[in-house]
Amino acid sequence: MRKMLVGLLLVLALTLSLGQEKALADCSNETINTGSATVVTQLYENQCVILGWSSGVITKDMTANCCGPSAVIRINGNDWNKLIGEGKLDGLRYIRVSKNDNGAYVIEPRKVETGGKPVTIAGADFFK
């Protein structure tokens, strides 16, 4: 009886804990509402690709795509240029994050073309 009760509680706990995260197979863009102070944190910690956000003083609506997993890496600029020059990053899709003259973050989905030339692509083409 005790084993059955433990088994039932385990099944119940797993059932309630599964499905809490967004499915990676969902290829639709999603809007995430977040506090304006946590936008940069969400950009680097969210498992979905953040494609942009709307301005707001207290909250911001972030556009994300969960079509596939993403990872955040930082790379030395000299190493990046060396790998691009050697053609080892051809076909790589990445998000370039920079600041404009006003200090606001700018997000650009980009792809390294064959031959090592990075080009800006549409957010919808990030997973194609």
Side-chain angles (χ1 to χ4, degrees):
M1 183 68 167
R2 182 177 284 178
K3 288 182 181 179
M4 285 179 45
L5 183 59
V6 169
L8 179 63
L9 289 175
L10 181 62
V11 169
L12 182 62
L14 287 174
T15 303
L16 293 176
S17 67
L18 296 176
Q20 298 295 322
E21 292 291 324
K22 181 121 175 95
L24 292 177
D26 183 6
C27 290
S28 62
N29 285 348
E30 155 184 338
T31 301
I32 302 169
N33 187 275
T34 185
S36 60
T38 62
V39 169
V40 176
T41 305
Q42 286 290 324
L43 177 66
Y44 293 109
E45 292 181 358
N46 198 313
Q47 71 177 356
C48 302
V49 175
I50 305 296
L51 300 173
W53 61 73
S54 65
S55 295
V57 176
I58 297 172
T59 63
K60 295 186 184 289
D61 289 331
M62 302 174 67
T63 304
N65 189 307
C66 296
C67 192
S70 65
V72 175
I73 61 170
R74 294 187 82 115
I75 186 167
N76 178 290
N78 293 333
D79 293 340
W80 175 262
N81 292 332
K82 179 183 174 190
L83 292 170
I84 289 256
E86 294 173 354
K88 293 184 177 178
L89 299 179
D90 290 353
L92 176 74
R93 290 175 179 85
Y94 64 99
I95 302 290
R96 178 177 153 185
V97 180
S98 59
K99 285 189 177 182
N100 64 14
D101 294 336
N102 299 330
Y105 286 95
V106 178
I107 296 177
E108 295 176 273
R110 297 176 63 96
K111 178 182 178 184
V112 179
E113 294 285 322
T114 303
K117 182 180 179 195
V119 295
T120 301
I121 60 174
D125 296 333
F126 191 80
F127 288 106
K128 291 183 181 177

